[in-house]
Amino acid sequence: MKTSVMKAIALILSADAELIDILGVTAEMSIQSSVFALLLGLPIGIWLGACRFPGRNVLLVANRTLQGMPPVVCGLLFYMLFSGVGPFRHLKLLFTVDIMILAQVVLITPIVVGTMETYVSGVAPAVRETAKGLRLGGLKTFCLLCNECVYQIISAYLLAFARSIAEVGAVSMVGGAIAWKTNVMTTAIMQYTNRGNFTLGIALGMILLTVSLVVNILISLLQRRLSR
Amino acid sequence: MKIHAFSKTYDGRTVLDFPGMELQPGKIYAVIGANGSGKSTFAKILAGVLKADRKDIHLETDCVGYMPQKNYAFRMTTKANILLNGRDVSRAEELMDAIQLRHLENKRADRLSGGETARMALARLMMKRYDVAILDEPTAAMDMETTSVSEDLIVRYVREMGCTLILVTHSLQQARRIADEVLYFHKGKLLECGSKEQVLYEPQLPETRQFLDFYGV
């Protein structure tokens, strides 16, 4: 165990080519998917939190259900849609980073929507009443609402990123964990452990834990700032 | 200017039934009544924050400013909060001086105390001239000194701008100090309306007399 950890540290310090490739694919997938999820989830979350309309509760229940969707179910759905017998087979996206990003967006957008909706529904009535009382326009009210949510937006992004980087079920199904192409940290850890190559697995595990630690520290700092 | 008749019903129960009235420019109308008498509902409907049963026009103007009972301070400085309602920096500074907020101009407004937030909200509203300004218990969170300062500012604003001010208040002393006219609400109905001398000192109805007796007027 001790030897494996030492070897893993040496592998990280030597900037092993395969390790760098895995980190690159992981960064590409998790950053892009979390940015898309934020762009999609942010307006939906604010809309659900700030507006009252018939059918809102149905949408909230649907979003909560999607938040709890098992990643393998999402992977299965995308596999069926994009495989050789699926309706989108002509796009030839299966086993590419693009479909991994797409599957991740479906998985993490509900997290952004839920986080934003919960926060916005708390502050929106007071913001709206004050803005309406001052006869501020709709756009200015929306900007003020976004300004009130700025830390929450960053927090929602970090949550989405953390979920994306640590996900394994969906990405392994639709990405195929192909070395030098679609292998990300989580799928690589699984693959190398199954092969008995613990060194690369431990090295990736250490990096993943470090990233998770940094993200969680940032979330804690933001939450402390929010509660002040 | 006229307020048209309107009503508000929740779950089949009428919480407010207002018959309509004329408003005179340059006058302060104090709205008094016990808890749940419909004062805040009246203010919110006039401000357009709450919808009445029928979507008619209740006030013959769109130029209405409203300061709610629970004031919201946006996550920015006190001065920036005030400047949300107008770009005239000298006006904002003049208002902050008048309401004793100048020393807090660069402090985050969401970290102000309740009384300071209320003063900030009052200054923010007064950045503009409104045909009708509606204040819902503006001094409820303030101490005696700042209440007095705020009342002076309210009176000056009305006289200088020539607007109509509707002041929802729990304080009969405040109504006596600054109001010209008084509206007494009881169980969602406007029971008495007239000059403050008439309503506060010579009420016509036993309900009004009972309410005033309770508060020792």
Side-chain angles (χ1 to χ4, degrees), chain A residues 44-83:
Chain A
I44 300 174
I46 292 179
W47 174 60
L48 282 175
C51 304
R52 299 289 177 270
F53 52 88
R56 177 179 173 269
N57 283 335
V58 176
L59 291 177
L60 288 180
V61 170
N63 189 64
R64 275 179 212 135
T65 309
L66 287 174
Q67 270 180 275
M69 178 163 69
V72 283
V73 174
C74 178
L76 175 69
L77 189 75
F78 272 83
Y79 193 92
M80 281 167 27
L81 290 172
F82 290 90
S83 68

Side-chain angles (χ1 to χ4, degrees), chain A residues 96-177:
Chain A
T96 63
V97 177
D98 291 342
I99 197 168
M100 289 160 71
I101 293 170
L102 215 59
Q104 291 285 38
V105 169
V106 170
L107 274 175
I108 60 180
T109 301
I111 297 173
V112 178
V113 172
T115 310
M116 291 313 300
E117 184 276 322
T118 306
Y119 185 74
V120 170
S121 59
V123 295
V127 170
R128 207 175 24 226
E129 189 177 71
T130 302
K132 211 163 186 177
L134 296 172
R135 290 293 181 269
L136 304 179
L139 184 66
K140 199 166 182 178
T141 307
F142 179 75
C143 292
L144 282 170
L145 192 58
C146 288
N147 184 54
E148 293 305 289
C149 302
V150 70
Y151 294 122
Q152 208 61 35
I153 292 170
I154 302 169
S155 178
Y157 174 76
L158 289 174
L159 271 174
F161 177 79
R163 170 80 192 254
S164 175
I165 204 169
E167 205 282 313
V168 62
V171 288
S172 64
M173 282 181 85
V174 297

Side-chain angles (χ1 to χ4, degrees), chain A residues 119 122-137 140-141 143-152 222 224-228, chain B residues 44 46-51 62-76 81 83-86 108 110-111 121 124-125 128 130:
Chain A
Y119 185 74
V123 295
V127 170
R128 207 175 24 226
E129 189 177 71
T130 302
K132 211 163 186 177
L134 296 172
R135 290 293 181 269
L136 304 179
K140 199 166 182 178
T141 307
C143 292
L144 282 170
L145 192 58
C146 288
N147 184 54
E148 293 305 289
C149 302
V150 70
Y151 294 122
Q152 208 61 35
L222 280 169
R224 197 182 297 175
R225 182 134 197 195
L226 269 173
S227 61
R228 248 191 253 159
Chain B
K44 282 182 181 180
L46 283 191
V49 171
L50 192 68
K51 286 190 173 80
D62 278 338
C63 190
V64 182
Y66 169 62
M67 178 181 159
Q69 208 172 65
K70 286 180 187 163
N71 296 295
Y72 191 82
F74 292 98
R75 204 194 298 268
M76 51 182 82
N81 259 276
L83 286 168
L84 278 175
N85 198 27
R108 276 260 301 265
D110 54 323
R111 292 175 190 167
R124 187 168 61 190
L125 185 88
K128 272 188 198 158
Y130 295 98

